[in-house]
Amino acid sequence: MRIRQVKEVEIEGLGERIKQARLDSSKSLEQICDEVGLSRTYWYDIEKETLKGALSIENLRKIEEVLGVSFGVNLEEDCDI
């Protein structure tokens, strides 16, 4: 049986940190978006923190992988059932 856990956290300044990591990288915006699998419009919404809804942890992990950084976001918690 599968159990779905949904958790959202607010991380101030994450969009700016993602933008800075992009600027520090040697990759173009187009290359980064292709590797992560996101549109440029969606990417700009991430950087500006104007997303409708939340950035998925999966997309954050892809961004970290492509940019070669870690933003230190850990949503893993032990579950006692």
Side-chain angles (χ1 to χ4, degrees), residues 9-15 17 49 60 71-75:
V9 295
E10 183 73 27
I11 301 173
E12 284 290 323
L14 182 59
R17 291 171 54 200
E49 298 187 16
L60 178 62
F71 296 109
V73 178
N74 185 2
L75 300 179

Side-chain angles (χ1 to χ4, degrees), residues 34-81:
D34 285 345
E35 290 181 33
V36 176
L38 301 175
S39 70
R40 289 187 306 179
T41 302
Y42 191 79
W43 185 273
Y44 285 129
D45 285 341
I46 292 169
E47 289 185 354
K48 294 177 189 175
E49 298 187 16
T50 57
L51 285 177
K52 294 186 189 325
L55 177 64
S56 72
I57 192 69
E58 291 83 9
N59 281 338
L60 178 62
R61 295 297 181 238
K62 288 179 192 175
I63 291 168
E64 289 176 326
E65 181 181 335
V66 168
L67 294 177
V69 298
S70 173
F71 296 109
V73 178
N74 185 2
L75 300 179
E76 311 297 319
E77 287 187 7
D78 293 334
C79 183
D80 296 326
I81 298 179

